[in-house]
Amino acid sequence: MTVLDHRHTAAVPGWLPGATAPRTDPAPLLPDTAPVRVLGTPAAEKADPALLRELYRRLVVGRRYNQQATTLTKQGRLAVYPASTGQEACQVAAALALGDQDWLFPSYRDTLAVVSRGVDPLEALTLLRGNAHTGYDPRASRTAPLSTPLATQAPHAVGLAHAARLAGDPVVALTMLGDGGTSEGDFHEALNFAAVLHAPVVFLVQNNGYAISVPLTQQSAAPTLAHKAVGYGMPGRLVDGNDAAAVHAVLGEAVERARQGGGPTLVEALTYRVEAHTNADDATRYRQDEEVAAWREHDPILLMERALRELGLLDEQLVQDAADEAEALAARMRAEFHADPELDPMSLFAHVYAEPTQQLREQAAQLAAELAAEAEVHH
Ligand SMILES: Cc1ncc(C[n+]2csc(CCOP(=O)(O)OP(=O)(O)O)c2C)c(N)n1
C-alpha cells in the first residue's frame, strides 16, 4: 500500500463538501467493450428490410462516387480528393441518422456524407476543386462546409446545437472526425463544452487506423477512442464502422438521446481507409498490402450484400438499379468536370463577414485594380 493507493480508496467517501466532488460514478459511462454489430448477427433479422436495402443502394452509389472522384484527381480535373473508400458505411449511415432539421458538421473526408444528405454531388466537390467557396448553401442544406483544419468543426457543432437548444428548436448536430482529430485541442474543448452544456451533439469518430502516415498506436494510448468520452462525462459507444446497419443503429440512438435532452454522445466507428490519405499520398510507404487486403474482406458493401442475401433481400432489381444509378452519377461527374469552371477572383471576398472589414475592402480594391490592369494588357 502506497500513499497513492490511499487516494483511490479514500477519495469518494472522504471527499470534502462543495463543488469539487465527482457528481457521478464514471463506471456507467464506460464504452461498449466490443464493437456493436448488426449484419451477420441475429439483430439483422429485426432490422427494417427497407432500411437495409436503402443502405445498400447508398453504399453502392457512394463507392462509385469515391472511385470517380479519385479518377478525376488523376486527370487533373479535381485538385484533391480525400476518398472515403472503405468508410462508406459511416458516411451514408451518418447522413441517414439525421432528420431534415438537424445539422451535419463534416471534415474534408466526408463529402459522401454531405452528398448522402442530399447536397448536389458536384456542388459538394467545389472546395476540393480549388474554389475558395463551399459550393453549396450550408443553411439550405443544414450542412456546414467541409472542414480542412482538423476538429474545428467540433466546437462549431456544439455552438450551433447549444444555440438551438436555447431557442427551443429540437435540432441535433452531428460532427464527423478522424482518429487523428481526437488529439486536437478543439476536439477536447468541444467534448467538454458539449457535456457541461448538455448540448444535443453526436461526435462520430471514424477510426480508419491512420492520420496520414501515423498509425493509431502512435496517435493515442487510450484503450479505445470511445474512452475519451468518459473523462468529459458523456457515454462512449464503439461500433463496427463497416457495418452500415450497426452504425445507423448506434448513431440513431445517440441522435434520439440528444434530441430528448439526454446530452452528447461520442461514437467511435472502427473502419479502414482503403485508399491513400489523398491523391498526394503514397500509402505503400507506411503500411503493408496484407493489412489492406484483410480489410477488403471486411468491406462495407460485402458485409451488406452477404447479410441481404442471407435475409433474402438481395434481388436482381435492387442490384441493377443501384449499379445504374452509380454509373449515371459517374457519367455526370465526368461530363461536368470536363471543362474548367469560370471563377470570378473577386468572389473571394464574399461570404467572409456580413460587414466586410476595412482591411478586406482595401484588399478587394487592390485586386480589382490588378484585374483591371491585367485586362488592359490583354486587350
Ligand atoms: C489543425 C490541423 N493540423 C494539421 C493538419 C494537417 N493534416 C491534414 S489531414 C491530417 C491527418 C488527419 O487524420 P485523421 O484525423 O485520422 O483523419 P483522416 O484523414 O484519416 O480521415 C493532418 C495532420 C490539418 N489539416 N489541420
Side-chain angles (χ1 to χ4, degrees):
M1 173 114 171
T2 68
V3 171
L4 289 179
D5 291 334
H6 171 73
R7 190 181 58 181
H8 289 296
T9 50
V12 174
W15 209 270
L16 292 170
T20 54
R23 279 157 295 182
T24 52
D25 177 354
L29 293 176
L30 281 175
D32 303 291
T33 48
V36 175
R37 293 203 164 100
V38 170
L39 300 179
T41 78
E45 283 156 37
K46 294 191 210 104
D48 174 8
L51 172 69
L52 295 181
R53 287 162 60 96
E54 179 62 11
L55 286 167
Y56 168 79
R57 187 183 68 78
R58 287 178 187 237
L59 288 173
V60 170
V61 175
R63 173 66 50 85
R64 190 69 186 89
Y65 183 76
N66 271 323
Q67 284 169 343
Q68 188 60 59
T70 301
T71 304
L72 288 167
T73 63
K74 291 178 181 164
Q75 296 170 343
R77 290 281 163 215
L78 192 56
V80 66
Y81 188 66
S84 59
T85 310
Q87 299 180 217
E88 290 95 344
C90 291
Q91 300 283 311
V92 305
L96 267 181
L98 291 175
D100 286 346
Q101 75 276 35
D102 298 328
W103 271 79
L104 179 71
F105 286 79
S107 86
Y108 52 80
R109 197 172 300 286
D110 305 315
T111 327
L112 183 57
V114 171
V115 171
S116 207
R117 185 149 165 71
V119 169
D120 181 82
L122 296 155
E123 287 179 4
L125 291 169
T126 304
L127 190 75
L128 299 169
R129 216 174 172 185
N131 195 310
H133 294 291
T134 301
Y136 51 88
D137 179 351
R139 284 198 185 84
S141 56
R142 298 208 157 205
T143 303
L146 303 172
S147 175
T148 302
L150 300 178
T152 53
Q153 69 274 28
H156 297 166
V158 177
L160 183 133
H162 181 54
R165 189 158 172 256
L166 291 179
D169 296 336
V171 169
V172 175
L174 187 152
T175 180
M176 302 173 77
L177 310 107
D179 38 288
T182 71
S183 299
E184 290 287 335
D186 276 323
F187 172 75
H188 293 272
E189 291 168 25
L191 254 63
N192 191 53
F193 267 120
V196 170
L197 297 172
H198 225 61
V201 185
V202 179
F203 300 91
L204 171 60
V205 174
Q206 291 169 90
N207 174 2
N208 65 9
Y210 292 87
I212 312 184
S213 57
V214 179
L216 185 69
T217 47
Q218 288 175 39
Q219 182 72 237
S220 174
T224 71
L225 297 176
H227 278 80
K228 296 195 180 193
V230 178
Y232 293 104
M234 71 177 79
R237 305 292 315 270
L238 198 57
V239 62
D240 180 339
N242 286 7
D243 178 335
V247 181
H248 184 268
V250 168
L251 289 180
E253 277 177 25
V255 166
E256 213 33 53
R257 184 172 172 275
R259 205 183 309 285
Q260 300 304 325
T265 302
L266 171 65
V267 178
E268 175 186 1
L270 296 166
T271 181
Y272 194 74
R273 195 197 72 213
V274 169
E275 298 285 343
H277 174 70
T278 65
N279 44 307
D281 172 46
D282 175 5
T284 62
R285 293 178 62 185
Y286 54 82
R287 66 184 193 187
Q288 304 297 316
D289 291 346
E290 299 81 64
E291 184 181 293
V292 183
W295 276 92
R296 282 192 193 278
E297 294 297 307
H298 194 67
D299 180 84
I301 299 181
L302 270 186
L303 295 187
M304 184 57 84
E305 273 174 354
R306 203 176 292 151
L308 285 176
R309 201 168 286 124
E310 276 169 15
L311 295 166
L313 294 171
L314 193 71
D315 51 79
E316 276 301 313
Q317 194 64 47
L318 176 63
V319 173
Q320 194 58 50
D321 288 350
D324 289 349
E325 189 183 334
E327 281 317 312
L329 174 59
R332 194 183 147 216
M333 290 164 79
R334 288 194 298 273
E336 187 108 350
F337 280 82
H338 192 62
D340 284 331
E342 289 282 333
L343 295 182
D344 175 9
M346 291 306 294
S347 74
L348 195 63
F349 300 96
H351 313 300
V352 181
Y353 291 105
E355 279 296 320
T357 60
Q358 177 62 22
Q359 204 181 23
L360 274 187
R361 280 202 296 270
E362 283 169 17
Q363 288 175 6
Q366 192 182 342
L367 181 62
E370 283 175 16
L371 291 171
E374 201 175 304
E376 192 65 28
V377 171
H378 290 298
H379 195 59

